[in-house]
Amino acid sequence: MKTAWDLTPTKITIIALALSWVSSAVISSLINRNILKPLNHLTDATKQIAAGDFDIHLDHVVNFFTQESELGTLVDGFHYMAAELSSTEMFRNDFIHNFSHEFKTPIISIRGFARQLYQGNLTPEQQQEFAKIIMDESEHLANMSANVLLMTKLENQTIVSERKEFSLDEQLRDCMLLFEEQWSAKNITINMNLEPIMYYQNPELLSHIWINLISNAIKFTNEGGRLHVSCSRNDTWVSVTVTDNGTGMDEETAKHVFEKFYQGDKSRSTPGNGLGLPLAKRIVDMAGGFIRLKTMPGIGSTFHISLPINPPSEPTRGGNVIIEK
């Protein structure tokens, strides 16, 4: 006696086909939901990125099954890329704004005082004063142009060329002598504790570091202050320290002081263009070293530069600045 459950070859075939169709539908649904749709979202997000919209979040395209998969890794990488591009765009906009401001201000000043000289009716004292302002602002523009060109060159350069052995301690003495007029005028006490060091590197590049650090230390040290410069070495590192007892920096200024055109003095009353420390940082990057900054408002600042005895073949990227309280 046959029942409804008796399986004939035809029924078996039908059931097998049905199960195959159901499993195919389930697999297709899983693939579509977990792979194809997320990839479509990524494609759309890529188009948004290309259009300049970097505020993109794709957390909804991954789930429990795909979070640890290659797809999850791809989404994480996409988020990181979008964040980096957004940061770069903000930096570009800030750079344009600051660059325009730094160039526009002295040009307006030069134009105004030149017009006064052209119109005449000035006393000899006024003529001399206005001429000096024009000379100072022109020097400011020339220095800024040179620093911008140097920064652009270094940002597109990965290999440090023209290395040779030179006396690092002697270079530090020469850099200090460049500013003798400035530190003498402010009656700043100079203390140099320099260990004799022969170092193999590009001396012209390194001189930009010391010139910027020493000039800043003098600029922000008050009348009758103190400035200390030292250098030493061990088997792996060369260290240079520049310490002043000047105005120092608050925490917010210290965090941004290595950014191009950033100036802690918002009034712009202190001479400078905000490129000195970014240049120093870039050169330290290229040399494979790092910078440690310790500063407090009203106490002063210490910049500690560490450079490797054996520089890397490529510049270091990020993480080379340490801020201490």
Side-chain angles (χ1 to χ4, degrees), residues 249 254 292-296 302 304 321-325:
M249 291 175 260
R292 180 179 287 110
L293 167 60
K294 184 175 183 180
T295 184
M296 286 187 66
T302 295
H304 182 88
V321 175
I322 302 170
I323 309 294
E324 298 178 353
K325 294 184 179 179

Side-chain angles (χ1 to χ4, degrees), residues 138-158:
S138 299
E139 186 70 21
H140 176 74
L141 280 175
N143 290 337
M144 183 161 47
S145 299
N147 284 338
V148 169
L149 289 173
L150 178 58
M151 177 65 82
T152 303
K153 174 186 175 182
L154 295 182
E155 286 180 335
N156 291 282
Q157 181 177 339
T158 57

